[in-house]
Amino acid sequence: MKITVYLGASEGNDPALKTAVQELGRWIGQSGNALVYGGSRSGLMGLLADSVLAAGGQVTGVEPRFFVEQELQHNGLTELIVTENMAQRKAKMIELGDAFVAFPGGTGTLEEIAEVMSMASLRQLDAPCILYNLNGYYDSLKALLNEMICKGLSSAQRQAGIHFAADLAQIRALLESDKNH
């Protein structure tokens, strides 16, 4: 399974992020799954890729040309796909993924997973969409999604493909149950 992970090119200021991203990367590499991510060598993105590679896994990075021109790409990947812009990068990462995980990140991460959430709710994407709710990071987004249902602007049925996972064990369980369907 190719797992597309969205996350930031900074490390953040919570040490739990670094530990959790390395744990996720080790599991992806050791489990025989492959990583698709944004292609950067920096921050949490670089740590994730390095962890997958160190565990013997395959890593595909998808990096827009302007980041490559700034030499931000990770040069040790299994494959690096260079796109013309961010929109093509997002489309390629969705095209390549069998499952999608949003690690805690910034506005770019939110934009990327929001597109996947929308496609899943419209049934244009039949793949698990998982928000890694590490230490409650995505609690406010979960509350917003519930508010959309309460206000009649969305429904539980539409949001059925959107999952929140508190830890790696829950992510693994969601991906295993999806693989068996």
Side-chain angles (χ1 to χ4, degrees), residues 56-68:
Q58 304 282 304
V59 179
T60 300
V62 184
E63 189 89 273
R65 185 170 310 285
F66 68 90
F67 282 155
V68 174

Side-chain angles (χ1 to χ4, degrees), residues 56-126:
Q58 304 282 304
V59 179
T60 300
V62 184
E63 189 89 273
R65 185 170 310 285
F66 68 90
F67 282 155
V68 174
E69 288 167 356
Q70 295 172 44
E71 298 183 2
L72 298 174
Q73 78 279 2
H74 191 302
N75 289 316
L77 305 178
T78 312
E79 180 181 16
L80 179 67
I81 298 169
V82 179
T83 62
E84 289 305 312
N85 54 46
M86 294 294 275
Q88 286 180 7
R89 176 203 219 179
K90 282 194 306 178
K92 180 55 81 173
M93 289 174 73
I94 290 170
E95 176 192 319
L96 293 173
D98 299 309
F100 301 86
V101 175
F103 195 80
T107 53
T109 301
L110 183 60
E111 177 197 8
E112 290 167 323
I113 201 62
E115 184 166 347
V116 173
M117 290 164 53
S118 179
M119 290 177 74
S121 71
L122 295 170
R123 306 287 181 260
Q124 293 181 321
L125 191 60
D126 183 22

Side-chain angles (χ1 to χ4, degrees), residues 138-178:
Y138 284 113
D139 282 351
S140 53
L141 180 57
K142 190 176 195 177
L144 177 60
L145 292 174
N146 287 332
E147 184 68 8
M148 290 173 183
I149 293 169
C150 291
K151 297 287 191 219
L153 299 170
S154 186
S155 68
Q157 188 177 13
R158 278 211 165 213
Q159 294 183 18
I162 303 168
H163 308 279
F164 289 80
D167 54 32
L168 180 55
Q170 288 183 10
I171 291 171
R172 289 173 66 169
L174 285 163
L175 294 177
E176 286 300 320
S177 69
D178 183 72

